[in-house]
């Protein structure tokens, strides 16, 4: 795992055309220089210069045009691996540049998912001209609650007339195609108050996605709702004419397009966070390692050593998970939808890890991080925003929890279901031994079911291919039918690493807790309680993908052990939180404490990780 260094990175994992565009993008920012970049940010200058670069080099056109619409251009495709790398680079140089790219991704997704050939042709032409796109979902009163949209379309002669407002719409000032979500005025609003009720397809009939032009006279742009270089628009459509060629989706397809767009778009947030944290680490270590206080380098103070080694290992985990997550996204198909869990964790867990890196590094860089010649202050604001974009942490946690039963319990684990009859005071080791015996007793008769549930190992995907399934994800329902292979072998392979072994004990104890003291009916509707469960659950697939990528890369054992030291501490903290929940049952309170562990301390290992982090000092400085 290497920290991205613009001066040395070759992008040799990609084809020649991709390498050229990524290098051109890096060179653009380096030639722009740090002083100009920071001045434009402070003065909130619209980044037309960057958009002109995009037009000249056909960056968005090459990376965001699906192969099926490329008209023979061999370099055009929608390749999640290189799109993720672009998100990382833009995050490195400033989240405002990442944002204009990110919102263009969101705006294009409903178009590429559509069967409207005319709209697709128009989008391809606009991309070739260097234009940007926008995603018109959120509203001021309803946020991203798609059930409650007030954007109304009145049917007319061969088309519709749209009236309503949208709020918090990135690129809404210049996007030539804004993918707008609304509903027909002659259909009722869906009552979604009862989350357990299945909504029929007929009830979705009134939903629509259509394309609007921000330069149209009936498109009323009000303001930028944030004080920033990026433009996050509030706009109204006033008697806006919507022709048949503007309609992208109707009915249930419109609803699914909204959900599937976010599935793809939110994946980029983690990579933006990775890039921002990498730049912050360079700045922080360059400052702290060269600053002498009380006769010592700042990086020699015990508290700073702990902050730096933790931050370096945490960033390594962000990168390892994200790189492996790319493979899950690219290998997805109708029979393998594990990407829905992975994308939610990429958005939720990686961005929050990035926020934690920034918080800790702020104590390392101290006052220097607030000076006006530093990139650090820009990232500080953005890193608190990323976890709250494209669905809050709570929304993505709720989504992740839908996968918990299938992920945590493979068919051979059915014996664990009887654990609800085990007394709360029974020792955990005995409980797990008994559960294993119960499971072993039913394995023979479950062999056929196990075979059916077997899911293939996800291959490494850095090939120059089009990820076309992302435009054909299908209905956003049926999450309960998604299967997962046994998660435990990934941990067993690394059991020789002390803190991986400890974390594995915690994960198994959590599995026993779920079986012995599953959430009650009331708890399943208590989001606060479920959030505590979800914090524990999502750490396990996060750790799994870290280990899978470590196998692929041959990750540094010291860094991996230190990262799992952090995981052990975090798992214990969440367990104590669960124990303290007022609605936790006595069994759940008891089992929650079984999850608490002390990581295996190794001061020599921590010092070796620290030395790796100190190697960043002076290794990169942006051109002035």
């Amino acid at each position: 795992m290497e920290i991205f260094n613009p001066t040395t990175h070759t992008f040799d994992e990609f084809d020649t055309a991709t390498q050229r565009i990524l290098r051109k993008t890096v060179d653009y920012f380096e030639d722009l220089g740090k002083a100009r970049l920071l001045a434009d940010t402070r003065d909130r200058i619209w980044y037309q210069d960057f958009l002109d670069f995009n037009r000249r080099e056909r960056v968005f056109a090459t990376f965001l045009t699906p192969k099926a619409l490329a008209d023979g251009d061999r370099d055009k495709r929608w390749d999640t691996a290189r799109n993720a790398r672009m998100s990382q680079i833009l995050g490195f140089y400033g989240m405002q540049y990442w944002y204009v790219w990110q919102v263009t991704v969101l705006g294009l997704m409903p178009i590429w998912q559509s069967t409207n050939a005319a709209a697709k042709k128009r989008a391809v032409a606009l991309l070739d001209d260097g234009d940007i796109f926008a995603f018109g979902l959120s509203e001021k009163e309803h946020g991203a609650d798609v059930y409650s949209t007030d954007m109304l379309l009145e049917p007319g002669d061969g088309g519709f007339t749209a009236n309503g407002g949208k709020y918090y719409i990135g690129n809404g000032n210049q996007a030539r195609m804004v993918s707008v979500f609304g509903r027909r005025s002659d259909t009722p609003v869906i009552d979604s108050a009862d989350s357990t009720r299945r909504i029929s397809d007929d009830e979705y009939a009134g939903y629509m996605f259509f394309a609007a032009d921000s330069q149209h006279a009936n498109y009323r742009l009000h303001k930028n709702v944030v004080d920033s270089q990026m433009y996050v628009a509030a706009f109204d459509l006033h008697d806006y004419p919507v022709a048949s060629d503007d309609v992208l989706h109707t009915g249930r397809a419109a609803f699914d397009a909204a959900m599937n767009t976010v599935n793809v778009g939110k994946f980029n947030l983690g990579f933006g966070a990775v890039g921002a944290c990498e730049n912050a680490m360079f700045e922080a270590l360059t400052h702290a390692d060269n600053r002498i206080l009380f006769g010592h380098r700042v990086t020699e103070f015990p508290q700073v050593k702990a902050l730096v080694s933790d931050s370096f290992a945490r960033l390594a985990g962000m990168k390892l998970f994200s790189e492996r997550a790319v493979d899950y996204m690219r290998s997805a198909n109708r029979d393998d939808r594990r990407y829905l869990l992975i994308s939610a964790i990429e958005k939720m867990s990686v961005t929050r890890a990035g926020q934690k890196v920034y918080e800790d590094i702020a104590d390392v860089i101290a006052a220097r991080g607030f000076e006006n010649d530093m990139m650090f202050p820009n990232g500080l604001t953005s890193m608190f925003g990323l976890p709250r974009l494209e669905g809050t942490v709570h929304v993505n946690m709720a989504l992740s929890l839908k996968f918990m039963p299938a992920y945590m319990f493979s068919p051979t684990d059915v014996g664990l279901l009887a654990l609800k009859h085990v007394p709360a005071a029974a020792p955990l080791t005995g409980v797990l031994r008994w559960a294993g015996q119960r499971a072993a007793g039913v394995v023979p008769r479950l062999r056929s079911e196990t075979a059916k549930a077997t899911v293939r190992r996800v291959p490494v995907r850095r090939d120059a291919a089009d990820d076309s399934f992302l435009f054909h994800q299908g209905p956003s329902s049926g999450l309960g039918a998604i299967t997962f292979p046994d998660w435990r072998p990934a941990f067993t392979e690394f059991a020789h690493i002390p803190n991986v072994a400890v974390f594995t004990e915690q994960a198994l104890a959590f599995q026993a807790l779920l079986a012995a003291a599953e959430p009650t009916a009331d708890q399943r509707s208590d989001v606060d309680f479920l959030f505590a469960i979800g914090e524990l659950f999502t750490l396990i697939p996060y750790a799994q993908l870290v280990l899978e990528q470590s196998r692929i890369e041959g990750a540094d054992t010291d860094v991996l052990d230190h990262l799992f030291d952090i995981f052990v501490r975090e798992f214990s903290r969440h367990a104590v939180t669960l124990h303290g929940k007022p609605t936790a049952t006595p069994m759940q309170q008891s089992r929650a404490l079984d999850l608490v562990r002390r990581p295996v301390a190794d001061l020599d290992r921590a010092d070796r990780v620290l030395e790796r982090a100190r190697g960043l000092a002076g290794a990169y400085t942006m051109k002035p």
Side-chain angles (χ1 to χ4, degrees):
M1 189 285 303
E2 298 294 334
I3 302 296
F4 170 67
N5 186 330
T7 61
T8 60
H9 199 91
T10 61
F11 307 109
D12 57 4
E13 69 268 38
F14 297 111
D15 60 278
T16 302
T18 299
Q19 291 179 38
R20 182 189 66 79
I21 290 179
L22 293 175
R23 174 47 55 189
K24 284 277 189 180
T25 303
V26 168
D27 290 345
Y28 165 78
F29 286 108
E30 292 293 333
D31 292 343
L32 187 70
K34 189 177 184 180
R36 165 72 184 278
L37 189 151
L38 293 176
D40 285 357
T41 301
R42 280 194 301 271
D43 297 335
R44 298 183 294 282
I45 303 299
W46 174 251
Y47 26 63
Q48 188 59 51
D49 189 69
F50 174 66
L51 298 181
D52 290 342
F53 160 76
N54 165 52
R55 179 179 291 107
R56 289 194 306 273
E57 301 298 334
R58 304 175 74 244
V59 178
F60 291 9
T62 303
F63 277 38
L64 300 180
T65 303
K67 183 178 180 180
L69 301 171
D71 194 27
D73 188 329
R74 292 181 298 176
D75 298 330
K76 286 184 176 180
R77 63 181 185 275
W78 190 286
D79 178 336
T80 300
R82 68 180 188 176
N83 288 355
R85 191 66 69 239
M86 179 62 73
S87 293
Q88 178 186 357
I89 291 170
L90 296 177
F92 186 94
Y93 287 106
M95 296 308 299
Q96 64 272 33
Y97 297 98
W98 169 89
Y99 188 74
V100 69
W101 153 269
Q102 164 70 0
V103 179
T104 293
V105 168
L106 291 169
L108 284 166
M109 279 302 298
I111 301 171
W112 299 154
Q113 293 175 74
S114 174
T115 59
N116 185 331
K120 290 180 178 180
K121 183 177 181 180
R122 193 184 341 153
V124 170
L126 289 170
L127 276 173
D128 283 337
D129 287 342
D131 284 297
I132 56 178
F133 293 71
F135 184 54
L137 182 67
S138 297
E139 299 177 12
K140 187 171 185 179
E141 300 302 324
H142 305 297
D145 178 4
V146 293
Y147 293 103
S148 304
T149 177
D150 289 330
M151 176 63 70
L152 300 180
L153 292 102
E154 182 76 27
D157 295 334
F160 299 86
T161 300
N163 284 281
K166 292 291 179 179
Y167 196 81
Y168 225 84
I169 309 303
N171 297 353
N173 58 325
Q174 282 199 7
R176 296 307 307 269
M177 291 182 78
V178 182
S179 297
V180 182
F181 186 82
R183 63 180 175 88
R184 293 172 59 118
S185 59
D186 55 351
T187 59
V189 178
I190 291 178
D191 179 10
S192 60
D194 182 0
S195 61
T196 64
R197 183 179 71 87
R198 185 182 184 279
I199 300 172
S200 68
D201 285 348
D202 289 343
E203 292 179 276
Y204 289 102
Y207 288 129
M208 292 182 62
F209 248 120
F210 63 96
D213 184 352
S214 69
Q215 307 307 302
H216 193 283
N218 294 39
Y219 181 105
R220 309 288 174 82
L221 182 66
H222 292 300
K223 63 177 181 177
N224 187 351
V225 304
V226 298
D227 187 18
S228 173
Q229 186 178 8
M230 64 186 74
Y231 202 105
V232 186
F235 71 82
D236 288 335
L237 298 185
H238 181 71
D239 292 337
Y240 189 98
V242 178
S244 58
D245 281 352
D246 298 322
V247 176
L248 302 174
H249 302 275
T250 60
R252 180 59 192 264
F255 182 90
D256 290 335
M259 299 297 102
N260 293 336
T261 292
V262 174
N263 291 338
V264 175
K266 67 186 179 185
F267 187 72
N268 290 332
L269 273 71
F271 289 89
V274 167
C277 288
E278 289 174 316
N279 200 322
M281 289 292 288
F282 279 120
E283 283 198 331
L285 269 299
T286 297
H287 168 71
D289 204 52
N290 289 285
R291 183 165 176 77
I292 308 298
L293 293 177
F294 309 108
H296 297 277
R297 294 181 185 272
V298 169
T299 50
E300 293 173 345
F301 294 161
Q303 74 276 21
V304 173
K305 289 168 65 175
L307 290 169
V308 170
S309 55
D310 275 12
S311 296
F312 187 83
R314 201 182 298 274
L315 177 55
M318 293 166 62
K319 290 173 66 69
L320 289 166
F321 176 89
S322 299
E323 287 300 309
R324 186 60 174 146
V326 166
D327 302 328
Y328 280 78
M329 292 292 289
R330 301 198 73 194
S331 299
N333 56 59
R334 287 291 181 93
D335 297 321
D336 185 356
R337 300 170 69 201
R338 286 175 286 173
Y339 75 102
L340 294 173
L341 171 61
I342 303 307
S343 180
I345 294 176
E346 177 71 35
K347 177 264 177 284
M348 172 182 63
S349 300
V350 176
T351 59
R352 285 197 297 166
Q355 179 178 322
K356 179 61 175 170
V357 167
Y358 252 85
E359 290 174 2
D360 287 351
I361 288 300
D363 287 332
V364 174
I365 199 171
R368 175 69 174 131
F370 294 94
E371 296 181 23
N372 61 13
D373 63 340
M374 298 291 282
M375 294 285 289
F376 191 83
N378 296 338
L380 188 62
T381 301
S382 300
M383 287 310 303
F384 276 80
L386 284 179
R388 294 151 183 92
L389 294 177
E390 324 309 358
T392 63
V393 168
H394 299 81
V395 169
N396 283 278
M397 186 67 78
L399 173 61
S400 298
L401 282 165
K402 294 180 184 295
F403 304 105
M404 184 170 70
Y407 179 93
M408 290 302 302
F409 297 98
S410 72
T412 57
D413 290 321
V414 293
L416 289 170
L417 300 179
L419 286 175
K420 59 187 176 183
H421 303 299
V422 176
L428 176 65
T429 53
V431 168
L432 291 175
R433 189 182 307 113
W434 179 83
Q437 293 169 352
R438 288 280 295 167
V442 295
V443 166
R445 69 179 177 82
L446 284 174
R447 278 178 180 162
S448 59
E449 287 84 349
T450 304
K452 292 177 184 176
T454 298
V455 183
R456 61 194 172 91
R457 175 177 286 188
V458 175
V460 176
R461 292 291 311 277
R462 295 300 180 275
D463 50 309
D466 197 62
D467 299 334
S468 58
F469 168 72
L470 298 178
F471 313 129
H472 307 285
Q473 296 175 61
S476 53
S477 57
L479 303 185
I482 297 173
T483 56
F484 295 83
D486 193 340
W487 50 273
R488 290 165 294 195
F491 292 85
T492 302
E493 182 178 345
F494 288 87
H496 60 283
I497 298 177
N499 282 302
V500 174
V502 176
F503 183 82
T504 306
E505 290 179 9
Q506 292 177 301
L508 290 170
F510 178 63
Q511 187 184 45
L513 182 153
L514 292 175
E518 63 180 324
T520 65
D522 288 341
Q523 288 171 338
R524 285 194 290 272
S525 61
D526 180 351
V527 176
D528 180 59
F529 176 84
L530 290 177
F531 197 88
I533 294 285
E535 292 282 16
L536 292 161
F537 163 59
T538 51
L539 257 175
I540 299 172
Y542 190 90
Q544 178 192 335
L545 264 67
V546 165
L547 293 175
E548 289 183 6
Q549 188 64 23
S550 297
R551 181 201 308 123
I552 294 167
E553 292 187 16
D556 186 299
T557 300
D558 286 333
V559 175
L560 201 57
D561 193 24
H562 197 91
L563 175 62
F564 273 80
D565 181 308
I566 296 171
F567 287 167
V568 170
R569 284 180 266 147
E570 291 182 342
F571 209 84
S572 296
R573 176 168 56 86
H574 295 315
V576 172
T577 298
L578 177 61
H579 172 77
K581 287 297 177 185
T583 56
T585 67
M587 174 74 89
Q588 289 164 344
Q589 294 173 45
S590 175
R591 292 295 168 206
L593 295 181
D594 285 335
L595 277 55
V596 177
R597 294 286 190 284
R598 176 183 172 85
V600 178
D602 185 339
L603 296 179
D604 290 337
R605 177 254 295 154
D607 283 343
R608 290 193 295 272
V609 174
L610 174 67
E611 287 308 307
R612 285 207 59 186
R614 291 179 66 183
L616 300 177
Y620 165 76
T621 302
M622 187 176 179
K623 293 181 181 178

